[in-house]
Amino acid sequence: MSLTISIDAMGGDHGPQVVIPAAISALKKHPDVTLILVGDEQIIHSHLQKNNVDNEPRLIVHHASQQVEMDESPSQALRGKKDSSMRVAINLVKEGRAAACVSAGNTGALMATARFVLKTLPGIERPAIVSALPTMKGHTYVLDLGANVDSSAAHLVQFALMGSVLAELVDGKDKPKVGLLNIGSEEIKGNERVKEASRLLEQTDLNYIGYVEGDGLYHGEADVLVCDGFVGNVALKTSEGVVHMIRHYLRQSFSRNWLTKLAGLIASPVLKHFRNELDPRAYNGANLIGLQGIVIKSHGGADEFAFANAINIAIIEAAKDVPKNITKHLEVLLEGQVL
């Protein structure tokens, strides 16, 4: 099945310098995919020429005269940048000319623009940011990672449903295990919002396993872990910080003297495997889930490998038609009057 994905070529810290090589890498992996590179056509063409792909028919350049800056407010981007590479790339999804959009641009502006242009799915009040995080058993989908900091119990149930559908479609898991991130596993723990969400989830047909504490995320207790955006974003950034700290101390320990350097050389295959398992680039690409279209957010500082992974996620989710399947599952919940 052929797919077309729109790419915000100007977004992020590096713009076309990273986007173009990543796009070339994605095309090599997916021979039936076409990418629309949105942005300043002169700049994009210059980078295509540098990479010797200026005549590649599966790389289409779509001009956009503006660019959303990384520190720009969402309202400013929404009102004043109607011809930005971000807005135009999302418009292509709205118009049906692209099956998904990928951007490394300003997260707040991307969420605001995507929500304004694409709208939320029927029955979904707020979209969420979801991404896979590595665990001892593979990975867990965690949402929300920062889109909503004041989610209600009903919102958490909606997040749970969307995450469950995502895990089922992308990972092929039958009845994915869904947990609520909480300060304890006992029923008496947590605030009233989380307790109410738990009661609602018990009434659904989701495979709800109850509360999961923070360390349970990395044990892989749940396939989907639900929380509000404030908690989710803190957990995500803390996780990234811990990985960087571990790497720092490993480098420091192995470089103390010639004996530790020799030990590091002997252990290099193990260390390489460890680095690859926890490489955040391999998990780059967060879905703005709950919209009437697929929008994937790449980390702003992503390199070629990381951005290519975000494109790959967009391709997989477009092929599985995630929004349509979320709508089907949501109808069941609405009929049962759980929400």
Side-chain angles (χ1 to χ4, degrees), residues 30-316:
H30 301 280
D32 294 330
V33 169
T34 296
L35 302 178
I36 303 176
L37 303 172
V38 183
D40 187 310
E41 57 184 354
Q42 189 172 2
I43 294 175
I44 294 174
H45 277 300
S46 69
H47 281 275
L48 291 174
Q49 290 171 357
K50 288 179 184 177
N51 287 274
N52 299 313
V53 289
D54 198 32
N55 295 316
E56 168 57 58
R58 292 192 293 138
L59 285 174
I60 300 170
V61 179
H62 192 296
H63 181 66
S65 62
Q66 296 173 306
Q67 178 180 340
V68 175
E69 303 300 331
M70 295 300 282
D71 60 352
E72 205 161 342
S73 71
S75 59
Q76 184 180 356
L78 193 58
R79 291 196 299 263
K81 297 288 182 71
K82 295 182 180 180
D83 195 44
S84 68
S85 55
M86 179 187 291
R87 176 73 169 264
V88 174
I90 295 172
N91 283 342
L92 291 173
V93 177
K94 174 69 173 179
E95 296 163 4
R97 297 167 62 183
C101 163
V102 182
S103 174
N106 180 320
T107 303
L110 184 66
M111 176 60 84
T113 303
R115 187 172 181 178
F116 176 79
V117 173
L118 298 175
K119 313 304 181 188
T120 56
L121 291 167
I124 297 295
E125 296 176 18
R126 297 183 181 182
I129 299 176
V130 56
S131 185
L133 297 185
T135 71
M136 285 185 259
K137 297 179 181 178
H139 61 255
T140 294
Y141 290 100
V142 183
L143 70 165
D144 178 25
L145 291 176
N148 310 280
V149 296
D150 58 349
S151 306
S152 68
H155 295 148
L156 294 177
V157 175
Q158 293 171 16
F159 298 165
L161 178 138
M162 293 190 291
S164 180
V165 172
L166 187 66
E168 185 176 335
L169 290 174
V170 176
D171 297 340
K173 293 190 175 182
D174 183 34
K175 303 291 288 184
K177 292 182 290 183
V178 178
L180 268 178
L181 189 60
N182 198 9
I183 59 172
S185 58
E186 300 87 355
E187 290 186 12
I188 61 171
K189 295 289 183 69
N191 57 37
E192 289 305 314
R193 185 185 310 170
V194 172
K195 291 177 182 178
E196 176 61 18
S198 183
R199 287 192 287 270
L200 291 173
L201 283 168
E202 288 173 349
Q203 300 174 41
T204 70
D205 63 350
L206 299 177
N207 185 13
Y208 175 57
I209 62 171
Y211 298 142
V212 175
E213 295 186 66
D215 60 344
L217 193 167
Y218 301 103
H219 293 156
E221 294 178 13
D223 300 309
V224 178
L225 199 52
V226 178
C227 55
D228 70 31
F230 184 92
V231 173
N233 193 263
V234 170
L236 175 65
K237 297 300 172 61
T238 302
S239 302
E240 292 174 350
V242 169
V243 170
H244 290 308
M245 183 184 69
I246 292 172
R247 287 178 175 173
H248 166 77
Y249 280 117
L250 282 174
R251 283 194 297 266
Q252 194 176 67
S253 297
F254 281 116
S255 61
R256 282 183 298 172
N257 53 56
W258 70 270
L259 280 174
T260 58
K261 288 179 181 178
L262 178 60
L265 183 63
I266 295 172
S268 59
V270 176
L271 294 173
K272 183 179 180 181
H273 177 74
F274 172 79
R275 184 178 67 245
N276 291 339
E277 285 293 310
L278 295 182
D279 189 348
R281 300 179 307 158
Y283 295 91
N284 181 53
N287 187 348
L288 307 191
I289 200 165
L291 298 168
Q292 295 184 42
I294 298 169
V295 178
I296 303 298
K297 170 68 175 75
S298 166
H299 193 287
D303 62 9
E304 175 188 335
F305 176 81
F307 196 87
N309 191 68
I311 297 174
N312 185 58
I313 290 173
I315 293 169
I316 293 171

